[in-house]
Amino acid sequence: MPPHHPLWGHLAITADIFRTLPPVAHGNYLGDEIRKRYPTLNTAFYLDNWPLSPLILNVLNSDMMYQLTQANLIPKHESLRHFVEPLTDGPALVTLEGSVWKRWRATFNPGFSLTHIMTLVPSIVEEMVIFKNILRAHAVKGEMFHLEELTLNVSIDIIGRVVMDHKFNSQSAYNDLTSALRKQLEWCTIGIEINPLEYFNFLRPLVHLYNTRRMNRYLSRELDNRYETVQDKGKPKVKSVVDLALNSYLAENPTVSAKETATSWNKFKDFAMAQIKLFIFAGHDTTSTGSCFAIHLLSKNPDILTRLRAEHDTVFGDVATTTSVLCSKPHLLNELPFTLAVIKETLRLHPAAAALRAGQPNFSLTGPTGQQFPTKGCLVWGDHHGVHHNPEHWPRPYDFIPERWLVPEGDPLQPPKYAWRPFEYGPRSCIGRELALLEFKIMLVLTVREIVISDMYHESDMLKGNPGHWNLNGERAYMIRRGGGHPSDYYPCKATFTEEGKKQFSIEGFAVDASIPVV
């Protein structure tokens, strides 16, 4: 482990590292920054920041991550519940354990299967076309805007369509649920803070209570409507995630009286509301932020952007018919190897989260040389950012190289097995992985050939009086603390049309493509 002070532990080292980072830089950078200072700490190390946190075992090695989350089913750490449960107002898939988790995970799995998600592509495309039209409007204005606001809203709207067949309309109007959820996230904490004052924020419980009531009031009304649709045999059923989960739940919990039915529904509804808020948060953290970072990386690497556009030309043909082709032939999204490589490389460089596990009395992780790392009493921090930037696993770990995902076996660039972990692996992997990757692909397919987005950090910094232009690992677009890792300053940027984009805009304007079927 790093040099340990007998009185202060690692508090001084941690504070010194954060002083070298930009303000509000995400804590996910800490493990990698320590490894840079102490290069031999490239597998795992202990971090003693008591009393601000429990003893942390920071894991940077892919094989040790395999031991932690795949070979063994280690419980989630209580700090995760500390963060999630004020958001969900109840038990959530990400924090449940044992047989209860297995039952509910099995209930929701069918709705997030790739086979089912592919049937919802028209709905996803419909929301993404709205997103593209908003980018077009910004291209016409030529003014600075914040990209993350747009990607957050479209991600939330897509989650609404997929999970509960509901239009939140966050992209075009105020929505009380999404407003409350985003406000709630600003007040959530995992209970491990560098700033001690965060432990004494007496307003936090009141804000949590207020926003929880707003979210539950909205969702309860909408879920009651969905329940009526499922119960009414005369109405067509759109198979949202909640519809499929409800059908599965009712099949496993048959009722014989109206009272039993009402009780069963209310039990399911309470749990479903918690999961919907969790799903919105997950999309908010992974897809929306990943989209911003992908657009940024592509803008800085024009050769890669050119190759990406060429793949879309080959697979989808004319830009003018791409939306209709997507809706009628969604399987073509599985024929985009370079697009997937761009996405995977983006999420390698900017993973939104980490894997937090509770150390166990008789469980140790084994390092590559056989060294044992006991976990008893530890918060075991499966450090996705640290693993993704470990030079033991990745040549040129800080460079954007989508090609590394396409090289033949044995090539020095080939990623090691299990070293890419933005969605984790094993039974507790992210249930929304397929949806996130599909949404990511659709966003790129519909936008990169028509619109160019360039960052305006310099202009934004000058307006805010930040002439120093903070950066991290050479990038002004770095992850900051706001739930998971979000792009700094909401990613200030401007949009311009490509030549093809000018042509399409002159034909279509802001009208939603009529080829998208009503669903």
Side-chain angles (χ1 to χ4, degrees):
M1 64 181 176
H4 185 269
H5 190 280
L7 181 60
W8 303 112
H10 295 123
L11 286 172
I13 290 175
T14 300
D16 185 58
I17 285 176
F18 274 107
R19 277 195 295 268
T20 68
L21 301 180
V24 301
H26 202 283
N28 284 347
Y29 288 110
L30 179 61
D32 190 51
E33 293 299 313
I34 290 175
R35 181 200 57 77
K36 288 179 188 177
R37 289 195 180 191
Y38 308 99
T40 58
L41 300 179
N42 58 4
T43 57
F45 56 84
Y46 294 97
L47 197 62
D48 175 15
N49 280 333
W50 187 88
L52 299 184
S53 78
L55 181 65
I56 294 172
L57 174 57
N58 191 286
V59 182
L60 307 171
N61 175 270
S62 62
D63 181 67
M64 296 175 73
M65 287 293 298
Y66 173 87
Q67 298 170 45
L68 179 66
T69 66
Q70 293 163 260
N72 300 278
L73 196 59
I74 305 302
K76 300 291 183 76
H77 193 267
E78 63 181 1
S79 60
L80 192 59
R81 295 182 184 86
H82 190 96
F83 178 87
V84 168
E85 292 189 357
L87 176 67
T88 60
D89 188 36
L93 284 174
V94 74
T95 56
L96 288 173
E97 302 289 350
S99 60
V100 176
W101 166 76
K102 289 181 180 179
R103 184 174 75 250
W104 282 108
R105 174 79 183 225
T107 298
F108 279 91
N109 269 340
F112 284 99
S113 68
L114 180 59
T115 301
H116 177 66
I117 293 298
M118 291 295 281
T119 68
L120 303 178
V121 165
S123 296
I124 299 173
V125 170
E126 183 180 345
E127 298 296 340
M128 202 61 77
V129 167
I130 297 173
F131 171 75
K132 181 175 74 172
N133 282 335
I134 295 173
L135 290 179
R136 284 174 165 176
H138 283 294
V140 170
K141 293 178 182 177
E143 299 174 348
M144 183 172 68
F145 65 100
H146 292 93
L147 181 62
E148 194 191 18
E149 285 294 320
L150 277 60
T151 60
L152 286 172
N153 287 335
V154 68
S155 294
I156 289 171
D157 284 353
I158 288 171
I159 290 289
R161 299 293 295 274
V162 170
V163 172
M164 51 191 296
D165 187 37
H166 175 70
K167 292 187 177 183
F168 287 132
N169 294 321
S170 300
Q171 298 187 86
S172 55
Y174 172 82
N175 181 281
D176 199 45
L177 169 70
T178 58
S179 171
L181 186 137
R182 288 170 65 174
K183 289 293 184 183
Q184 192 83 316
L185 282 169
E186 294 175 5
W187 290 78
C188 287
T189 169
I190 63 173
I192 302 173
E193 301 295 337
I194 297 299
N195 181 359
L197 295 178
E198 290 290 337
Y199 291 97
F200 304 102
N201 192 325
F202 301 108
L203 287 177
R204 181 175 285 117
L206 298 177
V207 173
H208 283 170
L209 179 63
Y210 171 66
N211 287 322
T212 294
R213 287 178 175 174
R214 292 169 64 193
M215 291 186 285
N216 288 351
R217 181 173 61 243
Y218 186 105
L219 286 174
S220 179
R221 180 180 66 246
E222 295 303 327
L223 285 172
D224 283 339
N225 291 338
R226 293 307 303 160
Y227 181 61
E228 291 176 7
T229 299
V230 171
Q231 292 294 94
D232 189 342
K233 301 299 184 181
K235 294 182 181 179
K237 297 181 179 65
V238 178
K239 293 294 187 181
S240 69
V241 170
V242 166
D243 290 339
L244 292 175
L246 176 58
N247 287 337
S248 174
Y249 178 79
L250 293 177
E252 294 177 5
N253 299 272
T255 58
V256 295
S257 68
K259 182 178 180 179
E260 286 179 339
T261 300
T263 300
S264 184
W265 163 241
N266 286 329
K267 180 180 178 181
F268 175 84
K269 182 171 70 171
D270 288 343
F271 191 81
M273 286 194 296
Q275 307 327 303
I276 291 169
K277 287 178 280 186
L278 175 67
F279 298 149
I280 294 173
F281 161 69
H284 167 282
D285 255 18
T286 302
T287 314
S288 64
T289 60
S291 298
C292 291
F293 284 119
I295 288 169
H296 175 72
L297 291 166
L298 289 168
S299 74
K300 300 297 183 184
N301 295 272
D303 291 346
I304 294 173
L305 178 57
T306 297
R307 184 174 173 183
L308 183 69
R309 289 168 173 164
E311 181 174 79
H312 297 171
D313 287 339
T314 300
V315 175
F316 293 101
D318 193 344
V319 170
T321 59
T322 295
T323 52
S324 59
V325 172
L326 272 172
C327 293
S328 62
K329 300 178 180 179
H331 64 275
L332 292 178
L333 290 164
N334 297 324
E335 300 178 16
L336 299 170
F338 191 69
T339 302
L340 181 59
V342 166
I343 293 169
K344 294 180 79 169
E345 185 69 349
T346 298
L347 296 178
R348 181 188 71 81
L349 288 170
H350 300 285
L356 306 182
R357 297 294 189 268
Q360 301 298 298
N362 299 310
F363 177 67
S364 296
L365 295 174
T366 304
T369 62
Q371 182 181 2
Q372 296 296 300
F373 293 85
T375 68
K376 180 182 178 181
C378 293
L379 186 170
V380 187
W381 190 292
D383 188 348
H384 293 170
H385 184 271
V387 174
H388 286 184
H389 291 80
N390 190 337
E392 291 293 310
H393 298 324
W394 309 93
R396 298 163 57 192
Y398 300 96
D399 292 346
F400 180 59
I401 312 175
E403 185 65 29
R404 72 171 85 237
W405 300 98
L406 304 172
V407 296
E409 187 173 351
D411 190 285
L413 277 178
Q414 184 185 20
K417 193 174 184 180
Y418 302 129
W420 185 76
R421 316 187 69 90
F423 302 102
E424 257 312 317
Y425 289 107
R428 301 303 299 255
S429 63
C430 175
I431 195 172
R433 170 183 171 136
E434 298 298 344
L435 172 61
L437 293 176
L438 194 72
E439 181 182 337
F440 218 141
K441 290 179 184 178
I442 292 172
M443 183 277 293
L444 293 173
V445 166
L446 288 179
T447 60
V448 297
R449 288 185 290 172
E450 296 189 50
I451 298 167
V452 176
I453 295 176
S454 307
D455 80 78
M456 294 190 72
Y457 276 113
H458 177 79
E459 294 81 355
S460 176
D461 286 344
M462 298 307 293
L463 287 172
K464 295 190 302 182
N466 173 27
H469 309 302
W470 294 307
N471 69 79
L472 205 162
N473 293 331
E475 281 285 357
R476 181 61 182 83
Y478 53 85
M479 296 187 295
I480 65 168
R481 298 190 298 271
R482 203 162 64 244
H486 289 251
S488 51
D489 298 323
Y490 300 92
Y491 198 76
C493 62
K494 66 177 180 179
T496 55
F497 288 112
T498 65
E499 289 302 315
E500 186 62 37
K502 290 178 184 177
K503 174 183 173 183
Q504 292 306 314
F505 180 67
S506 67
I507 297 171
E508 299 175 6
F510 296 113
V512 173
D513 194 324
S515 65
I516 298 177
V518 176
V519 293

